[in-house]
């Protein structure tokens, strides 16, 4: 079955970098868009970035453009997060959808369990 598993979260000071990994299994990533999302306490889940499995095209939320970078290596999708800010603190999830060109939460059908990222001094 479709499975996604996030790793790489942690507690880091502002200005640091982290790389999150989303390991996928049970489906052919070439036919899906994989997205990264985050949810802070008391907030709705929001799209951060996405990558098309078919052509590698990428999407970014305005809040992370120029700081976060998404990439794919085989069945693993990475989110490189640089210049982290306290407002980046959240649980980060990866999701999968057969639709393309979207990082809207409602468009995604499959989810991982999430990994906590805390940015604090």
């Amino acid at each position: 079955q479709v499975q996604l598993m996030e790793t790489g979260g942690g507690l880091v000071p502002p200005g640091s970098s982290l790389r999150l990994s989303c390991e996928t299994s049970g489906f052919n990533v070439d036919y899906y868009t994989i997205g990264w999302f985050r949810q802070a306490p008391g907030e709705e889940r929001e799209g951060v970035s996405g990558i098309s499995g078919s052509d590698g095209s990428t999407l970014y939320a305005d809040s992370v453009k120029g700081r976060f970078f998404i990439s794919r290596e085989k069945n693993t999708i990475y989110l490189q997060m640089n210049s982290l800010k306290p407002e980046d603190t959240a649980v980060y999830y990866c999701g999968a959808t057969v639709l393309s060109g979207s990082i809207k939460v409602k468009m995604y059908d499959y989810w991982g369990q999430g990994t906590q990222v805390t940015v604090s001094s």
Side-chain angles (χ1 to χ4, degrees), residues 11-17 82-88 118-121:
L11 169 62
V12 296
S16 297
S17 298
N82 301 325
S83 303
L84 283 163
K85 306 175 182 179
E87 51 262 44
D88 294 319
T118 303
V119 184
S120 174
S121 54

Side-chain angles (χ1 to χ4, degrees), residues 53-66:
S54 61
D55 64 9
S57 58
T58 58
L59 296 165
Y60 293 95
D62 288 343
S63 58
V64 305
K65 279 181 182 175

Side-chain angles (χ1 to χ4, degrees), residues 38-82:
R38 65 187 182 187
Q39 187 166 17
E43 302 288 332
E44 292 187 354
R45 192 172 298 188
E46 63 174 359
V48 173
S49 183
I51 186 167
S52 168
S54 61
D55 64 9
S57 58
T58 58
L59 296 165
Y60 293 95
D62 288 343
S63 58
V64 305
K65 279 181 182 175
R67 298 190 299 124
F68 289 13
F69 300 93
I70 193 170
S71 62
R72 174 192 168 190
E73 183 174 337
K74 295 183 179 178
N75 293 333
T76 301
I77 287 77
Y78 300 98
L79 185 68
Q80 178 67 43
M81 307 188 295
N82 301 325

